[in-house]
PDB file of all heavy atoms in Angstrom:
ATOM      1  N   MET A  23       9.439 -32.482 -28.619  1.00  0.00           N
ATOM      2  CA  MET A  23       8.242 -32.997 -27.965  1.00  0.00           C
ATOM      3  C   MET A  23       8.196 -32.562 -26.500  1.00  0.00           C
ATOM      4  O   MET A  23       9.042 -32.944 -25.703  1.00  0.00           O
ATOM      5  CB  MET A  23       8.217 -34.531 -28.053  1.00  0.00           C
ATOM      6  CG  MET A  23       7.071 -35.185 -27.291  1.00  0.00           C
ATOM      7  SD  MET A  23       5.431 -34.637 -27.810  1.00  0.00           S
ATOM      8  CE  MET A  23       5.294 -35.424 -29.407  1.00  0.00           C
ATOM      9  N   PRO A  24       7.219 -31.730 -26.121  1.00  0.00           N
ATOM     10  CA  PRO A  24       7.048 -31.383 -24.705  1.00  0.00           C
ATOM     11  C   PRO A  24       6.643 -32.633 -23.915  1.00  0.00           C
ATOM     12  O   PRO A  24       6.201 -33.615 -24.515  1.00  0.00           O
ATOM     13  CB  PRO A  24       5.903 -30.362 -24.735  1.00  0.00           C
ATOM     14  CG  PRO A  24       5.814 -29.899 -26.159  1.00  0.00           C
ATOM     15  CD  PRO A  24       6.224 -31.080 -26.984  1.00  0.00           C
ATOM     16  N   PRO A  25       6.760 -32.655 -22.581  1.00  0.00           N
ATOM     17  CA  PRO A  25       7.099 -31.508 -21.731  1.00  0.00           C
ATOM     18  C   PRO A  25       8.604 -31.266 -21.577  1.00  0.00           C
ATOM     19  O   PRO A  25       9.022 -30.176 -21.276  1.00  0.00           O
ATOM     20  CB  PRO A  25       6.493 -31.903 -20.384  1.00  0.00           C
ATOM     21  CG  PRO A  25       6.586 -33.401 -20.372  1.00  0.00           C
ATOM     22  CD  PRO A  25       6.335 -33.834 -21.786  1.00  0.00           C
ATOM     23  N   VAL A  26       9.446 -32.328 -21.758  1.00  0.00           N
ATOM     24  CA  VAL A  26      10.891 -32.156 -21.618  1.00  0.00           C
ATOM     25  C   VAL A  26      11.488 -32.135 -23.017  1.00  0.00           C
ATOM     26  O   VAL A  26      11.690 -33.164 -23.639  1.00  0.00           O
ATOM     27  CB  VAL A  26      11.529 -33.286 -20.777  1.00  0.00           C
ATOM     28  CG1 VAL A  26      13.016 -33.009 -20.578  1.00  0.00           C
ATOM     29  CG2 VAL A  26      10.826 -33.423 -19.436  1.00  0.00           C
ATOM     30  N   MET A  27      11.746 -30.925 -23.515  1.00  0.00           N
ATOM     31  CA  MET A  27      12.272 -30.769 -24.863  1.00  0.00           C
ATOM     32  C   MET A  27      13.801 -30.805 -24.827  1.00  0.00           C
ATOM     33  O   MET A  27      14.403 -31.044 -23.776  1.00  0.00           O
ATOM     34  CB  MET A  27      11.756 -29.458 -25.450  1.00  0.00           C
ATOM     35  CG  MET A  27      10.231 -29.374 -25.531  1.00  0.00           C
ATOM     36  SD  MET A  27       9.627 -27.705 -25.756  1.00  0.00           S
ATOM     37  CE  MET A  27      10.269 -27.331 -27.393  1.00  0.00           C
ATOM     38  N   GLY A  28      14.427 -30.572 -25.995  1.00  0.00           N
ATOM     39  CA  GLY A  28      15.878 -30.529 -26.039  1.00  0.00           C
ATOM     40  C   GLY A  28      16.433 -29.429 -25.149  1.00  0.00           C
ATOM     41  O   GLY A  28      15.726 -28.484 -24.777  1.00  0.00           O
ATOM     42  N   ALA A  29      17.708 -29.547 -24.813  1.00  0.00           N
ATOM     43  CA  ALA A  29      18.333 -28.593 -23.892  1.00  0.00           C
ATOM     44  C   ALA A  29      18.211 -27.158 -24.375  1.00  0.00           C
ATOM     45  O   ALA A  29      18.096 -26.219 -23.572  1.00  0.00           O
ATOM     46  CB  ALA A  29      19.808 -28.960 -23.708  1.00  0.00           C
ATOM     47  N   ALA A  30      18.188 -26.973 -25.709  1.00  0.00           N
ATOM     48  CA  ALA A  30      18.117 -25.615 -26.251  1.00  0.00           C
ATOM     49  C   ALA A  30      16.819 -24.914 -25.872  1.00  0.00           C
ATOM     50  O   ALA A  30      16.763 -23.681 -25.838  1.00  0.00           O
ATOM     51  CB  ALA A  30      18.263 -25.654 -27.775  1.00  0.00           C
ATOM     52  N   ALA A  31      15.757 -25.677 -25.575  1.00  0.00           N
ATOM     53  CA  ALA A  31      14.483 -25.056 -25.192  1.00  0.00           C
ATOM     54  C   ALA A  31      14.626 -24.294 -23.870  1.00  0.00           C
ATOM     55  O   ALA A  31      13.989 -23.252 -23.671  1.00  0.00           O
ATOM     56  CB  ALA A  31      13.393 -26.118 -25.078  1.00  0.00           C
ATOM     57  N   PHE A  32      15.459 -24.804 -22.962  1.00  0.00           N
ATOM     58  CA  PHE A  32      15.689 -24.111 -21.692  1.00  0.00           C
ATOM     59  C   PHE A  32      16.494 -22.832 -21.919  1.00  0.00           C
ATOM     60  O   PHE A  32      16.281 -21.815 -21.249  1.00  0.00           O
ATOM     61  CB  PHE A  32      16.408 -25.039 -20.714  1.00  0.00           C
ATOM     62  CG  PHE A  32      15.595 -26.241 -20.325  1.00  0.00           C
ATOM     63  CD1 PHE A  32      15.754 -27.450 -20.968  1.00  0.00           C
ATOM     64  CD2 PHE A  32      14.643 -26.146 -19.325  1.00  0.00           C
ATOM     65  CE1 PHE A  32      14.996 -28.555 -20.623  1.00  0.00           C
ATOM     66  CE2 PHE A  32      13.875 -27.242 -18.960  1.00  0.00           C
ATOM     67  CZ  PHE A  32      14.050 -28.450 -19.617  1.00  0.00           C
ATOM     68  N   LEU A  33      17.419 -22.905 -22.888  1.00  0.00           N
ATOM     69  CA  LEU A  33      18.159 -21.701 -23.254  1.00  0.00           C
ATOM     70  C   LEU A  33      17.215 -20.662 -23.861  1.00  0.00           C
ATOM     71  O   LEU A  33      17.341 -19.464 -23.600  1.00  0.00           O
ATOM     72  CB  LEU A  33      19.252 -22.047 -24.265  1.00  0.00           C
ATOM     73  CG  LEU A  33      20.482 -22.769 -23.702  1.00  0.00           C
ATOM     74  CD1 LEU A  33      21.276 -23.411 -24.827  1.00  0.00           C
ATOM     75  CD2 LEU A  33      21.350 -21.820 -22.912  1.00  0.00           C
ATOM     76  N   MET A  34      16.257 -21.142 -24.649  1.00  0.00           N
ATOM     77  CA  MET A  34      15.289 -20.239 -25.260  1.00  0.00           C
ATOM     78  C   MET A  34      14.518 -19.473 -24.187  1.00  0.00           C
ATOM     79  O   MET A  34      14.244 -18.278 -24.330  1.00  0.00           O
ATOM     80  CB  MET A  34      14.314 -21.019 -26.145  1.00  0.00           C
ATOM     81  CG  MET A  34      13.505 -20.151 -27.087  1.00  0.00           C
ATOM     82  SD  MET A  34      12.197 -21.064 -27.959  1.00  0.00           S
ATOM     83  CE  MET A  34      13.124 -22.383 -28.707  1.00  0.00           C
ATOM     84  N   ALA A  35      14.163 -20.169 -23.121  1.00  0.00           N
ATOM     85  CA  ALA A  35      13.427 -19.514 -22.036  1.00  0.00           C
ATOM     86  C   ALA A  35      14.241 -18.376 -21.438  1.00  0.00           C
ATOM     87  O   ALA A  35      13.708 -17.298 -21.132  1.00  0.00           O
ATOM     88  CB  ALA A  35      13.069 -20.539 -20.959  1.00  0.00           C
ATOM     89  N   GLU A  36      15.551 -18.578 -21.277  1.00  0.00           N
ATOM     90  CA  GLU A  36      16.414 -17.539 -20.713  1.00  0.00           C
ATOM     91  C   GLU A  36      16.653 -16.401 -21.708  1.00  0.00           C
ATOM     92  O   GLU A  36      16.627 -15.230 -21.351  1.00  0.00           O
ATOM     93  CB  GLU A  36      17.755 -18.151 -20.299  1.00  0.00           C
ATOM     94  CG  GLU A  36      17.686 -18.994 -19.035  1.00  0.00           C
ATOM     95  CD  GLU A  36      17.298 -18.167 -17.823  1.00  0.00           C
ATOM     96  OE1 GLU A  36      18.040 -17.243 -17.471  1.00  0.00           O
ATOM     97  OE2 GLU A  36      16.240 -18.450 -17.235  1.00  0.00           O
ATOM     98  N   PHE A  37      16.894 -16.755 -22.964  1.00  0.00           N
ATOM     99  CA  PHE A  37      17.190 -15.739 -23.977  1.00  0.00           C
ATOM    100  C   PHE A  37      15.992 -14.833 -24.255  1.00  0.00           C
ATOM    101  O   PHE A  37      16.147 -13.632 -24.505  1.00  0.00           O
ATOM    102  CB  PHE A  37      17.627 -16.403 -25.284  1.00  0.00           C
ATOM    103  CG  PHE A  37      19.034 -16.944 -25.263  1.00  0.00           C
ATOM    104  CD1 PHE A  37      19.546 -17.646 -26.345  1.00  0.00           C
ATOM    105  CD2 PHE A  37      19.868 -16.754 -24.168  1.00  0.00           C
ATOM    106  CE1 PHE A  37      20.836 -18.144 -26.339  1.00  0.00           C
ATOM    107  CE2 PHE A  37      21.154 -17.250 -24.141  1.00  0.00           C
ATOM    108  CZ  PHE A  37      21.639 -17.948 -25.231  1.00  0.00           C
ATOM    109  N   THR A  38      14.790 -15.415 -24.258  1.00  0.00           N
ATOM    110  CA  THR A  38      13.597 -14.654 -24.631  1.00  0.00           C
ATOM    111  C   THR A  38      12.861 -14.081 -23.430  1.00  0.00           C
ATOM    112  O   THR A  38      12.037 -13.173 -23.587  1.00  0.00           O
ATOM    113  CB  THR A  38      12.614 -15.533 -25.423  1.00  0.00           C
ATOM    114  OG1 THR A  38      12.169 -16.625 -24.587  1.00  0.00           O
ATOM    115  CG2 THR A  38      13.271 -16.092 -26.678  1.00  0.00           C
ATOM    116  N   GLY A  39      13.121 -14.629 -22.230  1.00  0.00           N
ATOM    117  CA  GLY A  39      12.385 -14.192 -21.050  1.00  0.00           C
ATOM    118  C   GLY A  39      10.982 -14.775 -20.982  1.00  0.00           C
ATOM    119  O   GLY A  39      10.170 -14.381 -20.140  1.00  0.00           O
ATOM    120  N   ILE A  40      10.691 -15.744 -21.863  1.00  0.00           N
ATOM    121  CA  ILE A  40       9.385 -16.408 -21.873  1.00  0.00           C
ATOM    122  C   ILE A  40       9.471 -17.638 -20.983  1.00  0.00           C
ATOM    123  O   ILE A  40      10.396 -18.442 -21.122  1.00  0.00           O
ATOM    124  CB  ILE A  40       8.990 -16.811 -23.312  1.00  0.00           C
ATOM    125  CG1 ILE A  40       8.885 -15.571 -24.199  1.00  0.00           C
ATOM    126  CG2 ILE A  40       7.666 -17.585 -23.320  1.00  0.00           C
ATOM    127  CD1 ILE A  40       8.718 -15.888 -25.678  1.00  0.00           C
ATOM    128  N   PRO A  41       8.527 -17.825 -20.039  1.00  0.00           N
ATOM    129  CA  PRO A  41       8.573 -18.997 -19.158  1.00  0.00           C
ATOM    130  C   PRO A  41       8.643 -20.300 -19.949  1.00  0.00           C
ATOM    131  O   PRO A  41       8.026 -20.425 -21.015  1.00  0.00           O
ATOM    132  CB  PRO A  41       7.252 -18.900 -18.368  1.00  0.00           C
ATOM    133  CG  PRO A  41       6.905 -17.453 -18.402  1.00  0.00           C
ATOM    134  CD  PRO A  41       7.384 -16.944 -19.732  1.00  0.00           C
ATOM    135  N   TYR A  42       9.403 -21.263 -19.407  1.00  0.00           N
ATOM    136  CA  TYR A  42       9.599 -22.531 -20.118  1.00  0.00           C
ATOM    137  C   TYR A  42       8.280 -23.216 -20.438  1.00  0.00           C
ATOM    138  O   TYR A  42       8.112 -23.787 -21.526  1.00  0.00           O
ATOM    139  CB  TYR A  42      10.490 -23.476 -19.296  1.00  0.00           C
ATOM    140  CG  TYR A  42      10.591 -24.844 -19.928  1.00  0.00           C
ATOM    141  CD1 TYR A  42      11.399 -25.046 -21.040  1.00  0.00           C
ATOM    142  CD2 TYR A  42       9.849 -25.926 -19.444  1.00  0.00           C
ATOM    143  CE1 TYR A  42      11.477 -26.284 -21.656  1.00  0.00           C
ATOM    144  CE2 TYR A  42       9.915 -27.164 -20.052  1.00  0.00           C
ATOM    145  CZ  TYR A  42      10.723 -27.338 -21.151  1.00  0.00           C
ATOM    146  OH  TYR A  42      10.778 -28.570 -21.766  1.00  0.00           O
ATOM    147  N   TRP A  43       7.320 -23.171 -19.501  1.00  0.00           N
ATOM    148  CA  TRP A  43       6.058 -23.864 -19.750  1.00  0.00           C
ATOM    149  C   TRP A  43       5.338 -23.260 -20.952  1.00  0.00           C
ATOM    150  O   TRP A  43       4.724 -23.993 -21.738  1.00  0.00           O
ATOM    151  CB  TRP A  43       5.165 -23.821 -18.511  1.00  0.00           C
ATOM    152  CG  TRP A  43       3.792 -24.374 -18.776  1.00  0.00           C
ATOM    153  CD1 TRP A  43       2.613 -23.720 -18.739  1.00  0.00           C
ATOM    154  CD2 TRP A  43       3.495 -25.719 -19.155  1.00  0.00           C
ATOM    155  NE1 TRP A  43       1.582 -24.576 -19.069  1.00  0.00           N
ATOM    156  CE2 TRP A  43       2.095 -25.808 -19.339  1.00  0.00           C
ATOM    157  CE3 TRP A  43       4.274 -26.862 -19.377  1.00  0.00           C
ATOM    158  CZ2 TRP A  43       1.455 -26.993 -19.699  1.00  0.00           C
ATOM    159  CZ3 TRP A  43       3.633 -28.040 -19.760  1.00  0.00           C
ATOM    160  CH2 TRP A  43       2.257 -28.099 -19.907  1.00  0.00           C
ATOM    161  N   GLU A  44       5.408 -21.949 -21.120  1.00  0.00           N
ATOM    162  CA  GLU A  44       4.773 -21.322 -22.284  1.00  0.00           C
ATOM    163  C   GLU A  44       5.445 -21.777 -23.580  1.00  0.00           C
ATOM    164  O   GLU A  44       4.787 -21.961 -24.607  1.00  0.00           O
ATOM    165  CB  GLU A  44       4.830 -19.798 -22.161  1.00  0.00           C
ATOM    166  CG  GLU A  44       3.908 -19.229 -21.079  1.00  0.00           C
ATOM    167  CD  GLU A  44       3.893 -17.702 -21.068  1.00  0.00           C
ATOM    168  OE1 GLU A  44       4.212 -17.097 -22.115  1.00  0.00           O
ATOM    169  OE2 GLU A  44       3.585 -17.127 -20.009  1.00  0.00           O
ATOM    170  N   ILE A  45       6.760 -21.947 -23.524  1.00  0.00           N
ATOM    171  CA  ILE A  45       7.487 -22.443 -24.700  1.00  0.00           C
ATOM    172  C   ILE A  45       7.077 -23.876 -25.008  1.00  0.00           C
ATOM    173  O   ILE A  45       6.821 -24.239 -26.167  1.00  0.00           O
ATOM    174  CB  ILE A  45       9.012 -22.345 -24.470  1.00  0.00           C
ATOM    175  CG1 ILE A  45       9.443 -20.876 -24.473  1.00  0.00           C
ATOM    176  CG2 ILE A  45       9.782 -23.125 -25.538  1.00  0.00           C
ATOM    177  CD1 ILE A  45      10.886 -20.659 -24.095  1.00  0.00           C
ATOM    178  N   ALA A  46       6.988 -24.716 -23.965  1.00  0.00           N
ATOM    179  CA  ALA A  46       6.578 -26.106 -24.150  1.00  0.00           C
ATOM    180  C   ALA A  46       5.162 -26.189 -24.703  1.00  0.00           C
ATOM    181  O   ALA A  46       4.866 -27.008 -25.588  1.00  0.00           O
ATOM    182  CB  ALA A  46       6.681 -26.858 -22.829  1.00  0.00           C
ATOM    183  N   LEU A  47       4.282 -25.347 -24.197  1.00  0.00           N
ATOM    184  CA  LEU A  47       2.901 -25.329 -24.669  1.00  0.00           C
ATOM    185  C   LEU A  47       2.834 -24.876 -26.130  1.00  0.00           C
ATOM    186  O   LEU A  47       2.108 -25.458 -26.948  1.00  0.00           O
ATOM    187  CB  LEU A  47       2.066 -24.389 -23.791  1.00  0.00           C
ATOM    188  CG  LEU A  47       0.534 -24.486 -23.915  1.00  0.00           C
ATOM    189  CD1 LEU A  47       0.057 -25.867 -23.499  1.00  0.00           C
ATOM    190  CD2 LEU A  47      -0.126 -23.417 -23.041  1.00  0.00           C
ATOM    191  N   ALA A  48       3.610 -23.860 -26.454  1.00  0.00           N
ATOM    192  CA  ALA A  48       3.640 -23.360 -27.838  1.00  0.00           C
ATOM    193  C   ALA A  48       4.190 -24.409 -28.798  1.00  0.00           C
ATOM    194  O   ALA A  48       3.791 -24.469 -29.970  1.00  0.00           O
ATOM    195  CB  ALA A  48       4.493 -22.091 -27.909  1.00  0.00           C
ATOM    196  N   ALA A  49       5.100 -25.255 -28.300  1.00  0.00           N
ATOM    197  CA  ALA A  49       5.723 -26.274 -29.158  1.00  0.00           C
ATOM    198  C   ALA A  49       4.834 -27.489 -29.364  1.00  0.00           C
ATOM    199  O   ALA A  49       5.130 -28.330 -30.228  1.00  0.00           O
ATOM    200  CB  ALA A  49       7.055 -26.716 -28.542  1.00  0.00           C
ATOM    201  N   ALA A  50       3.741 -27.605 -28.612  1.00  0.00           N
ATOM    202  CA  ALA A  50       2.923 -28.818 -28.640  1.00  0.00           C
ATOM    203  C   ALA A  50       2.291 -29.062 -30.011  1.00  0.00           C
ATOM    204  O   ALA A  50       2.383 -30.171 -30.562  1.00  0.00           O
ATOM    205  CB  ALA A  50       1.842 -28.744 -27.556  1.00  0.00           C
ATOM    206  N   ILE A  51       1.639 -28.036 -30.575  1.00  0.00           N
ATOM    207  CA  ILE A  51       0.949 -28.222 -31.855  1.00  0.00           C
ATOM    208  C   ILE A  51       1.943 -28.522 -32.990  1.00  0.00           C
ATOM    209  O   ILE A  51       1.739 -29.468 -33.765  1.00  0.00           O
ATOM    210  CB  ILE A  51       0.073 -27.000 -32.182  1.00  0.00           C
ATOM    211  CG1 ILE A  51      -1.082 -26.901 -31.172  1.00  0.00           C
ATOM    212  CG2 ILE A  51      -0.486 -27.104 -33.602  1.00  0.00           C
ATOM    213  CD1 ILE A  51      -1.936 -25.655 -31.325  1.00  0.00           C
ATOM    214  N   PRO A  52       3.055 -27.760 -33.125  1.00  0.00           N
ATOM    215  CA  PRO A  52       4.041 -28.123 -34.156  1.00  0.00           C
ATOM    216  C   PRO A  52       4.580 -29.544 -33.981  1.00  0.00           C
ATOM    217  O   PRO A  52       4.812 -30.238 -34.977  1.00  0.00           O
ATOM    218  CB  PRO A  52       5.157 -27.083 -33.954  1.00  0.00           C
ATOM    219  CG  PRO A  52       4.447 -25.890 -33.402  1.00  0.00           C
ATOM    220  CD  PRO A  52       3.399 -26.462 -32.497  1.00  0.00           C
ATOM    221  N   ALA A  53       4.764 -29.980 -32.729  1.00  0.00           N
ATOM    222  CA  ALA A  53       5.267 -31.338 -32.490  1.00  0.00           C
ATOM    223  C   ALA A  53       4.255 -32.377 -32.969  1.00  0.00           C
ATOM    224  O   ALA A  53       4.617 -33.388 -33.581  1.00  0.00           O
ATOM    225  CB  ALA A  53       5.567 -31.537 -31.005  1.00  0.00           C
TER     226      ALA A  53
END
C-alpha cells in the first residue's frame, strides 16, 4: 500500500533505476 510500501520497494527503485514515487504510483491500482 503506497505511499510508504515495504522496504523492498525502496530496493526496487535502486535496482531498476525507476524513481520511488513512480513505483508507488504504479502500485496503487494493484493495491
Side-chain angles (χ1 to χ4, degrees):
M23 175 58 72
V26 184
M27 300 163 66
F32 296 96
L33 285 163
M34 195 188 305
E36 286 296 298
F37 284 176
T38 63
I40 299 171
Y42 174 76
W43 173 245
E44 289 185 23
I45 290 173
L47 194 62
I51 293 175

